[in-house]
Amino acid sequence: MSLSRTALALLGLAALAAPARAESEVNLYTTREPGLIRPLLDAFTTASGVKVNTVFVDKGLAERVAAEGARSAADVVMTVDIGNLIELVDRDLAQPVRSPALEAAIPANLRDAEGRWFALSTRARVAYADPDLRDLAGLTYEDLADPKWKGKVCLRAGQHPYNTALIAAYLVKHGEAKTEAWLRGVKDNLARKAGGGDRDVARDIVADLCDIGLGNSYYVGLMRSGRGGPEQKKWGEGIQVVLPTFQGGGTHVNVSGAVVAKSAPNRDNAVKLLEYLASDEAQALYAKADYEYPVKPGVAVDPLLAALGPLKVDTTSLVEIARNRKAASLLVDKVGFDR
């Protein structure tokens, strides 16, 4: 275990050992890397005087909150991927929140109608490609199964949540039979076994192992900014980035978001934290610190993302995507995508 994770674990234990309710504290359970969200939490504390006790949970977040039950110290549960947010709701681990501030800041399609989950930032599933490739402006996700890309596609595992969400969106749009055929076509086009991470896709394109692949938009910012080190900066600058769309639709996006825990001992502070994270100040920090797209309309994206061009978000319901995650996962196994 790294020093940072050890420290976070001890902090989590300290939070759990302390009295559950504290007027000037809020307990955040999160799967988000602490370094990515710390600037936001520090800004909230400065603005509100409320201390944020952060418990980093790499895996099994919902299981942990469920196991702790009514004694859980969790006030806010923050995670990435719409499927994880819906899981918290389905397992009755979230409580509804009615907040005019949240409802004004976050578009209706990016929050639960009953106030049980709220998206706080979005990330697009974009195409990384060899800079020498031309005529990619009209690229669609459907195109990745075209035989012209045989032996030229690199992807991380189909069972990774980033790809499972995209496959689930494809299912909603095209149905099971067409999605299975598409997955088989994409698998046939792979230059290597599906695996690694999104940044590895960029690395392999720069190394001429493949010509095209998919990755999340925020990795482009992390690589090109140099925050990942000089080698990753080389990868980021060595690819062109295209915003693909579904045929007749837009670019697939996923979200990071949060819920107020069902047994939150500091509910008022939990709502304050969510309201702050949806504010102009915090949304600008999301854009700058994490290279993510703000959910609040009118907040500028980071210049590194703005350079990719205007984002036309696909309108497929995030809830429908989440509901089709299991079916998407089963199709990944059926076609042997990751084998």
Side-chain angles (χ1 to χ4, degrees):
M1 178 181 287
S2 67
L3 179 59
S4 62
R5 290 190 178 183
T6 300
L8 284 164
L10 290 174
L11 179 59
L13 290 174
L16 291 174
R21 182 175 177 82
E23 292 299 324
S24 60
E25 295 187 353
V26 64
N27 302 318
L28 172 68
Y29 283 28
T30 179
T31 61
R32 303 219 64 185
E33 287 290 345
L36 293 177
I37 59 171
R38 178 49 56 188
L40 292 155
L41 305 182
D42 289 344
F44 168 70
T45 297
T46 299
S48 67
V50 177
K51 177 185 177 183
V52 183
N53 300 314
T54 307
V55 180
F56 174 59
V57 184
D58 189 20
K59 295 179 181 179
L61 178 62
E63 288 77 7
R64 172 164 177 171
V65 178
E68 291 177 355
R71 298 177 60 189
S72 178
D75 293 308
V76 174
V77 184
M78 178 186 291
T79 187
V80 296
D81 186 76
I82 183 60
N84 293 327
L85 288 172
I86 296 297
E87 181 185 8
L88 292 168
V89 172
D90 287 347
R91 297 182 67 162
D92 196 26
L93 300 175
Q95 62 172 288
V97 171
R98 290 300 179 193
S99 163
L102 289 172
E103 291 168 10
I106 303 174
N109 65 312
L110 294 176
R111 53 181 165 84
D112 178 49
E114 298 180 30
R116 295 168 299 180
W117 62 264
F118 299 88
L120 298 171
S121 65
T122 66
R123 65 280 301 278
R125 200 73 179 141
V126 302
Y128 301 168
D130 188 301
D132 293 332
L133 292 178
R134 296 292 179 262
D135 302 320
L136 294 180
L139 182 73
T140 67
Y141 298 109
E142 289 86 349
D143 289 337
L144 292 177
D146 191 316
K148 74 178 183 179
W149 297 114
K150 189 171 181 64
K152 298 180 180 180
V153 176
C154 283
L155 289 173
R156 73 189 307 159
Q159 289 291 10
H160 191 279
Y162 297 163
N163 282 336
T164 308
L166 175 65
I167 297 164
Y170 203 102
L171 261 169
V172 175
K173 287 182 172 292
H174 296 297
E176 183 174 343
K178 289 184 178 180
T179 303
E180 179 179 340
W182 176 73
L183 275 176
R184 293 188 185 279
V186 176
K187 177 178 170 58
D188 287 344
N189 288 341
L190 292 178
R192 56 161 173 77
K193 180 181 177 181
D198 285 357
R199 281 174 279 197
D200 295 328
V201 172
R203 176 200 65 192
D204 290 348
I205 291 171
V206 171
D208 294 325
L209 296 178
C210 45
D211 288 348
I212 195 167
L214 297 177
N216 276 351
S217 51
Y218 66 89
Y219 286 121
V220 178
L222 291 172
M223 290 188 291
R224 290 182 174 177
S225 69
R227 282 175 54 183
E231 188 173 31
Q232 290 187 20
K233 185 175 177 65
K234 178 181 176 182
W235 301 344
E237 294 177 344
I239 58 173
Q240 65 168 309
V241 182
V242 179
L243 298 175
T245 63
F246 285 107
Q247 291 174 357
T251 300
H252 171 70
V253 300
N254 208 327
V255 301
S256 70
V259 309
V260 173
K262 183 177 182 180
S263 302
N266 303 292
R267 185 185 189 278
D268 289 347
N269 287 342
V271 175
K272 286 181 183 178
L273 176 58
L274 289 190
E275 290 176 340
Y276 174 77
L277 293 175
S279 69
D280 287 344
E281 179 182 2
Q283 288 289 292
L285 282 172
Y286 264 115
K288 181 178 180 180
D290 298 345
Y291 303 104
E292 294 184 305
Y293 290 96
V295 295
K296 187 173 185 179
V299 178
V301 301
D302 185 89
L304 286 173
L305 285 191
L308 305 183
L311 174 66
K312 176 188 175 184
V313 176
D314 190 69
T315 57
T316 303
S317 163
L318 291 175
V319 174
E320 285 301 304
I321 290 173
R323 300 297 185 211
N324 279 272
R325 292 292 297 272
K326 183 176 181 180
S329 177
L330 291 173
L331 279 180
V332 169
D333 283 345
K334 183 177 181 180
V335 305
F337 195 88
D338 294 340
R339 295 200 293 271

